[in-house]
């Protein structure tokens, strides 16, 4: 679990105080990995507390994080600084948070980042790392994984060393997220709830978090009474609870199939999940019905025909990626999942998207 959390509007201002206690020495910098959407945004950058050798690295969230990108960042840090950094601070959405987690792990672990994609392969504790979400829904701020696209697969580094040592939850930071992106990333949280709560891996621990997150999602995306401030506060907590719910159970079909889209077409996580989930009435009837209501209420049009020009080889690549995620299928459909999910079935589902 994340060991330290602060929550509250304006809590981003406490970062300086938090880091002060964690600086190892003047040669051991803090490295801030910041979404480049904030480059030139004084409201954010002027509040990043820089001292000594500390460095801000602006990174685009246009593409999802890659293992090669983590390797390059770690090499840059190791070559540039005499001492190991005091900490890595990720400021942004799931993309930047996952990068920060992965860099913190790879500073203390030998070899290439792709060697650690999987479950519990990390040998040494990561360096101190802090997550500061600026968009809510993925639950990356709380999860024990960092999802990366490698040379062979899109798969997380799942380990006890992955979670942040400190998270700063400041709902003011998510106020300016564009509406479409707010919906897609918010729906990631909603889909986490549905996949967790209907899954065979469910247990009382996951359920308690999943139910709370689902209740918050309904208020945020279907209610009529929330002010923007309330909606931001609640979405931040929904993301946290949704993340806690899947950390102790598993996601399901939308995630398995969306990983295929992401691997082949680069479709981003939030929108990819929406495109898939929209077609999953057969598996999640109640959840998909509410999803369609939310889409309508917020006037969201999802892209269509994204698979229409794909070759047989392309479909096979996506099917291989999706079928590789065995725990997700098992969670969704139980141990006999292969009876329902054949290659032909997946092909026909992808063809609808
Ligand atoms: P993101 O980080 O990719 O950002 C989406 C867009 O929103 C970007 O254009 C970004 O610049 C912009 N943005 C972010 N904050 C903003 C702000 N305050 N104002 C204006 N624009 C802002 O989006 P995401 O949906 O949070 O993250 C997706 C990533 O999260 C994927 O790589 C996915 O694999 C990963 N993920 C990780 C976990 C986990 O547990 N580790 C879980 C789910 C998803
Ligand atoms: Zn997700």
């Amino acid at each position: 679990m994340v060991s330290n959390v602060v929550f509250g509007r304006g809590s981003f201002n406490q970062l300086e105080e938090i880091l002060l206690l964690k600086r190892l020495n003047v040669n051991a910098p803090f490295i801030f990995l910041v979404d480049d959407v904030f480059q030139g945004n004084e409201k954010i950058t002027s509040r990043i507390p820089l001292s000594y050798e500390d460095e801000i690295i602006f990174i685009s969230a246009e593409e999802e994080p890659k293992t090669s990108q983590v390797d390059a960042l770690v090499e840059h840090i190791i070559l540039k600084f005499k001492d190991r950094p005091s900490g890595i601070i990720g400021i942004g959405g799931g993309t930047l948070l996952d990068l920060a987690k992965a860099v913190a792990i790879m500073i203390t672990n030998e070899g290439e980042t792709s060697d650690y994609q999987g479950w519990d392969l990390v040998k040494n504790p990561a360096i101190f790392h802090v997550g500061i979400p600026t968009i809510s829904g993925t639950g990356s701020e709380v999860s024990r994984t960092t999802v990366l696209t490698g040379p062979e697969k899109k798969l997380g580094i799942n380990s006890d060393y992955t979670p942040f040592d400190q998270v700063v939850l400041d709902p003011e930071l998510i106020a300016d997220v564009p509406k479409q992106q707010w919906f897609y990333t918010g729906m990631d949280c909603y889909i986490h709830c549905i996949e967790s709560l209907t899954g065979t891996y469910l247990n009382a621990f996951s359920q308690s978090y999943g139910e709370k997150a689902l209740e918050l999602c309904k208020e945020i995306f279907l209610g009529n009474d929330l002010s923007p401030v309330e909606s931001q506060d609640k979405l931040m907590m929904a993301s946290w609870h949704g993340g806690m719910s899947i950390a102790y159970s598993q996601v399901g079909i939308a995630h398995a199939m969306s990983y295929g889209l992401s691997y082949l077409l680069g479709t981003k996580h939030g929108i990819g999940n929406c495109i898939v989930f929209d077609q999953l009435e057969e598996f999640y009837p109640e959840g998909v019905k509410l999803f369609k209501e939310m889409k309508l209420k917020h006037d969201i049009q999802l892209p269509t025909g994204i698979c229409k020009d794909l070759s047989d080889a392309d479909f096979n690549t996506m099917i291989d990626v999706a079928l590789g995620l065995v725990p997700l299928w098992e969670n969704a459909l139980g141990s006999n999942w292969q009876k329902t999910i054949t290659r032909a079935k997946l092909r026909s589902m992808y063809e609808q998207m």
Side-chain angles (χ1 to χ4, degrees), residues 188 192 255 269 273:
D188 190 22
H192 291 161
H255 278 74
H269 189 75
N273 279 351

PDB file of all heavy atoms in Angstrom, residues 188 192 255 269 273, ligand 2:
ATOM      1  N   ASP A 188     -12.413   4.943 -16.893  1.00  0.00           N
ATOM      2  CA  ASP A 188     -11.474   3.885 -16.505  1.00  0.00           C
ATOM      3  C   ASP A 188     -11.807   3.450 -15.078  1.00  0.00           C
ATOM      4  O   ASP A 188     -11.885   2.252 -14.774  1.00  0.00           O
ATOM      5  CB  ASP A 188     -10.041   4.416 -16.614  1.00  0.00           C
ATOM      6  CG  ASP A 188      -8.996   3.320 -16.469  1.00  0.00           C
ATOM      7  OD1 ASP A 188      -9.337   2.139 -16.705  1.00  0.00           O
ATOM      8  OD2 ASP A 188      -7.841   3.642 -16.135  1.00  0.00           O
ATOM      9  N   HIS A 192     -13.167  -0.129 -13.849  1.00  0.00           N
ATOM     10  CA  HIS A 192     -12.494  -0.889 -12.781  1.00  0.00           C
ATOM     11  C   HIS A 192     -13.529  -1.425 -11.789  1.00  0.00           C
ATOM     12  O   HIS A 192     -13.462  -2.582 -11.363  1.00  0.00           O
ATOM     13  CB  HIS A 192     -11.491  -0.011 -12.016  1.00  0.00           C
ATOM     14  CG  HIS A 192     -10.294   0.382 -12.816  1.00  0.00           C
ATOM     15  ND1 HIS A 192      -9.488   1.439 -12.489  1.00  0.00           N
ATOM     16  CD2 HIS A 192      -9.765  -0.142 -13.954  1.00  0.00           C
ATOM     17  CE1 HIS A 192      -8.517   1.551 -13.379  1.00  0.00           C
ATOM     18  NE2 HIS A 192      -8.669   0.599 -14.285  1.00  0.00           N
ATOM     19  N   HIS A 255     -10.435  -4.456 -20.139  1.00  0.00           N
ATOM     20  CA  HIS A 255      -8.997  -4.205 -20.051  1.00  0.00           C
ATOM     21  C   HIS A 255      -8.206  -5.164 -20.933  1.00  0.00           C
ATOM     22  O   HIS A 255      -7.271  -4.759 -21.620  1.00  0.00           O
ATOM     23  CB  HIS A 255      -8.529  -4.265 -18.597  1.00  0.00           C
ATOM     24  CG  HIS A 255      -8.764  -2.982 -17.857  1.00  0.00           C
ATOM     25  ND1 HIS A 255     -10.016  -2.602 -17.447  1.00  0.00           N
ATOM     26  CD2 HIS A 255      -7.924  -1.978 -17.513  1.00  0.00           C
ATOM     27  CE1 HIS A 255      -9.928  -1.420 -16.846  1.00  0.00           C
ATOM     28  NE2 HIS A 255      -8.665  -1.019 -16.877  1.00  0.00           N
ATOM     29  N   HIS A 269      -5.401   4.209 -23.012  1.00  0.00           N
ATOM     30  CA  HIS A 269      -6.112   3.356 -22.065  1.00  0.00           C
ATOM     31  C   HIS A 269      -7.572   3.768 -21.833  1.00  0.00           C
ATOM     32  O   HIS A 269      -8.481   2.945 -21.951  1.00  0.00           O
ATOM     33  CB  HIS A 269      -5.340   3.366 -20.744  1.00  0.00           C
ATOM     34  CG  HIS A 269      -5.833   2.383 -19.742  1.00  0.00           C
ATOM     35  ND1 HIS A 269      -5.587   1.045 -19.849  1.00  0.00           N
ATOM     36  CD2 HIS A 269      -6.577   2.549 -18.622  1.00  0.00           C
ATOM     37  CE1 HIS A 269      -6.150   0.429 -18.824  1.00  0.00           C
ATOM     38  NE2 HIS A 269      -6.753   1.305 -18.065  1.00  0.00           N
ATOM     39  N   ASN A 273     -10.615   1.605 -23.365  1.00  0.00           N
ATOM     40  CA  ASN A 273     -11.540   0.892 -22.486  1.00  0.00           C
ATOM     41  C   ASN A 273     -12.984   1.245 -22.831  1.00  0.00           C
ATOM     42  O   ASN A 273     -13.869   0.389 -22.813  1.00  0.00           O
ATOM     43  CB  ASN A 273     -11.285   1.261 -21.026  1.00  0.00           C
ATOM     44  CG  ASN A 273     -10.127   0.506 -20.437  1.00  0.00           C
ATOM     45  OD1 ASN A 273      -9.599  -0.417 -21.054  1.00  0.00           O
ATOM     46  ND2 ASN A 273      -9.721   0.893 -19.250  1.00  0.00           N
TER      47      ASN A 273
HETATM   48 ZN1  LIG B   2      -7.752   0.765 -16.226  1.00  0.00          ZN
END
